[in-house]
């Protein structure tokens, strides 16, 4: 599997694979979109780093490395489009989707919290949830089911996409520069992504603060 990912990272198809994975993981959270972004960004670091060997020779750099800028643009665009697709689906889902959401405690809680959060300018929850496992799905579907307006949801979705894309690609790219463009560097970056996800999950699962009483 590692060899396959390594070969894919050096192929122009990596952009399509990353975009498709990021687009669909709002519906299929098991897709390793973050791992793909990190792997591709680690490969991109190979185009800007060289390593001197013991004899003073320069290490070979792969001829085909992905463009970090294009990679981030693909991931950002796919993230926003996926969020909007889930948002629209939940907003127009009708009774069947409403019943499905009612059976899910996570979606019901998200719907209740997002009902006032987006309108009240507290949509930072959307940004935080982007890092949590399945948090993107819960928030996008919850916002749609709460019948929030697109203009309330879209700016926060775009900000979440910027934050997640920048963090994931930055982990892979700078990890590749500091630790080398190896699976060790990519592995450390993936662990840092999982750590951010665990922290985000903790934050969004905390009970909403009780309203102040006079």
């Amino acid at each position: 599997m590692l060899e396959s990912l390594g070969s894919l990272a050096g192929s122009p198809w990596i952009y399509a694979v990353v975009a498709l994975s990021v687009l669909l993981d709002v519906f299929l959270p098991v897709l390793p979109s973050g791992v793909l972004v990190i792997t591709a960004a680690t490969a991109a670091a190979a185009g800007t780093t060289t390593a001197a060997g013991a004899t003073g020779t320069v290490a070979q750099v792969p001829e085909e490395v992905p463009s970090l800028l294009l990679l981030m643009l693909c991931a950002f665009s796919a993230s926003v489009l996926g969020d909007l697709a889930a948002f629209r689906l939940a907003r127009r889902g009708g009774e069947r989707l409403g019943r499905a959401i009612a059976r899910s405690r996570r979606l019901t809680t998200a719907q209740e919290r997002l009902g006032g959060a987006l309108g009240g300018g507290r949509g930072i929850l959307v940004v935080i949830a982007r890092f949590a496992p399945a948090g993107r799905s819960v928030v996008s579907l919850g916002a749609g089911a709460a019948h929030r307006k697109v203009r309330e949801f879209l700016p926060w979705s775009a900000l979440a996409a910027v934050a997640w894309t920048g963090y994931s690609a930055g982990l892979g790219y700078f990890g590749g520069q500091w630790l080398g463009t190896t699976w060790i560097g990519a592995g450390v970056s993936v662990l840092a992504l999982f750590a951010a996800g665990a922290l985000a999950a903790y934050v969004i699962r905390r009970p909403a603060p009780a309203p102040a009483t006079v």
Side-chain angles (χ1 to χ4, degrees), residues 75-123:
F76 166 80
S77 302
S79 182
V80 174
L81 290 175
D83 285 358
L84 284 178
F87 175 83
R88 289 288 192 182
L89 177 65
R91 204 166 190 270
R92 301 178 180 178
E95 294 183 1
R96 173 179 288 186
L97 185 59
R99 289 194 298 269
I101 290 176
R103 290 194 296 268
S104 171
R105 182 173 60 85
R106 293 179 68 187
L107 286 175
T108 301
T109 301
Q111 181 177 347
E112 293 172 353
R113 294 185 66 182
L114 286 166
L118 292 176
R122 292 177 283 116

Side-chain angles (χ1 to χ4, degrees), residues 3-182:
E3 291 78 4
S4 299
L5 284 174
S7 300
L8 180 63
S11 165
W13 284 102
I14 187 61
Y15 304 112
V17 172
V18 165
L20 188 62
S21 177
V22 174
L23 179 69
L24 295 180
D25 79 355
V26 68
F27 302 106
L28 300 170
V30 295
L31 291 176
S33 57
V35 175
L36 284 173
V37 172
I38 286 176
T39 302
T42 301
T48 58
T49 59
T50 57
T55 60
T57 58
V58 176
Q60 292 291 329
V61 175
E63 295 182 1
E64 296 293 338
V65 295
S67 163
L68 183 66
L69 181 60
L70 185 55
L71 175 69
M72 294 177 67
L73 180 61
C74 289
F76 166 80
S77 302
S79 182
V80 174
L81 290 175
D83 285 358
L84 284 178
F87 175 83
R88 289 288 192 182
L89 177 65
R91 204 166 190 270
R92 301 178 180 178
E95 294 183 1
R96 173 179 288 186
L97 185 59
R99 289 194 298 269
I101 290 176
R103 290 194 296 268
S104 171
R105 182 173 60 85
R106 293 179 68 187
L107 286 175
T108 301
T109 301
Q111 181 177 347
E112 293 172 353
R113 294 185 66 182
L114 286 166
L118 292 176
R122 292 177 283 116
I124 192 65
L125 179 65
V126 178
V127 180
I128 296 173
R130 184 63 182 86
F131 292 83
R136 177 189 180 198
S137 305
V138 171
V139 167
S140 297
L141 292 172
H147 294 281
R148 305 314 306 173
K149 296 179 180 179
V150 174
R151 67 172 179 268
E152 295 173 344
F153 175 72
L154 182 57
W156 291 107
S157 171
L159 182 59
V162 168
W164 180 83
T165 299
Y167 183 73
S168 302
L171 283 177
Y173 185 78
F174 292 110
Q177 288 194 323
W178 296 335
L179 301 175
T181 54
T182 65

